[in-house]
Amino acid sequence: MVYILEEIEMYAKENKIPIMQKDGIEFMTTYIKKHHFKRILEIGCAIGYSAIKMALIDPNIQITTIERDEERYHMALKNIKRCHLENQIEVLHKDALDVELGEQFDFIFIDAAKGQYIPFFEKFEKNLVVQGVIISDNLKFHGLVEKEDDGLSRNVRGIVRKLRKYIEFLKNNDRFETQFFDIGDGISISLKIC
């Protein structure tokens, strides 16, 4: 299994596919294990790396993960099958904003289009149980969120602005208690309190 995960990490690096940084994924999987989360929704599957890491925590964990890119979706299916985790991980090939889910989750992981974090959060918070948690990754966006916008491309400036807006949204959301962690590329943990 370790060999397969290393292969996935190498493939992601060589093909510039963003996967969670090692210290970030270790932080998140430790958090999931500590709180005994079993029903997980992941928004942004990419090639299946984080879903696989989460499923390996406990055979009773069930994950629904969403990926809109066709090539990454097929690569995720292949990687999940290589790890024999098809019974734990369901991959939906859709834009997350077009997905309607009826079930409830105790943990949601947002790691998809950075400019859509607020719409993702607002759409899926209804699927989160009270005392459930939403973790968001990439809030530092390679350190750019805390820097001046000078010299950034228009596209990157737009993403940075939306991430700053998302951070403010989390700070001011009275239905959740949010903590921010300087781990990986910046992580938030939002606990649903009502």
Side-chain angles (χ1 to χ4, degrees):
M1 189 65 67
V2 172
Y3 177 71
I4 295 171
L5 287 167
E6 285 174 352
E7 273 191 3
I8 296 169
E9 290 165 6
M10 187 64 71
Y11 179 88
K13 187 175 181 181
E14 288 171 358
N15 293 277
K16 295 182 173 43
I17 295 170
I19 61 172
M20 206 171 184
Q21 293 181 13
K22 282 202 178 218
D23 54 346
I25 195 85
E26 291 308 317
F27 174 82
M28 185 171 77
T29 52
T30 300
Y31 190 87
I32 291 168
K33 185 186 276 188
K34 179 181 174 186
H35 292 88
H36 309 288
F37 295 127
K38 296 291 186 280
R39 291 284 306 131
I40 296 174
L41 171 64
E42 177 184 51
I43 302 159
C45 179
I47 57 173
Y49 179 72
S50 48
I52 290 166
K53 292 283 278 189
M54 290 187 286
L56 290 172
I57 296 167
D58 183 332
N60 294 313
I61 287 176
Q62 290 293 313
I63 300 168
T64 300
T65 182
I66 307 167
E67 179 54 49
R68 70 179 184 182
D69 181 273
E70 188 167 0
E71 190 176 333
R72 291 180 183 181
Y73 163 77
H74 288 294
M75 183 61 73
L77 291 178
K78 180 181 162 190
N79 289 331
I80 290 162
K81 190 168 186 169
R82 286 177 71 201
C83 295
H84 308 288
L85 294 170
E86 310 95 308
N87 293 332
Q88 281 182 260
I89 304 171
E90 176 188 15
V91 188
L92 305 178
H93 179 219
K94 280 190 164 185
D95 186 308
L97 295 175
D98 295 331
V99 172
E100 294 300 331
L101 298 170
E103 60 261 53
Q104 294 285 290
F105 299 90
D106 44 25
F107 182 86
I108 297 176
F109 176 42
I110 301 177
D111 189 21
K114 310 303 165 236
Q116 298 296 323
Y117 273 24
I118 292 175
F120 291 149
F121 193 106
E122 291 178 331
K123 180 174 180 68
F124 293 107
E125 69 172 289
K126 71 182 187 314
N127 298 98
L128 186 70
V129 298
V130 174
Q131 295 299 303
V133 165
I134 296 177
I135 283 190
S136 308
D137 190 29
N138 300 119
L139 297 188
K140 289 185 175 291
F141 197 56
H142 316 296
L144 298 175
V145 169
E146 294 150 343
K147 290 184 178 174
E148 295 297 319
D149 292 354
D150 302 340
L152 299 179
S153 71
R154 186 169 172 246
N155 185 38
V156 172
R157 267 199 321 272
I159 293 169
V160 166
R161 267 198 309 274
K162 286 183 177 177
L163 282 171
R164 288 175 184 153
K165 191 173 175 187
Y166 180 64
I167 291 165
E168 286 307 308
F169 164 83
L170 293 177
K171 288 177 179 176
N172 296 312
N173 190 326
D174 57 9
R175 295 182 309 281
F176 287 79
E177 288 176 356
T178 298
Q179 293 177 284
F180 297 91
F181 297 87
D182 190 14
I183 294 168
D185 197 22
I187 292 173
S188 64
I189 295 180
S190 301
L191 172 71
K192 188 174 183 179
I193 53 175
C194 63

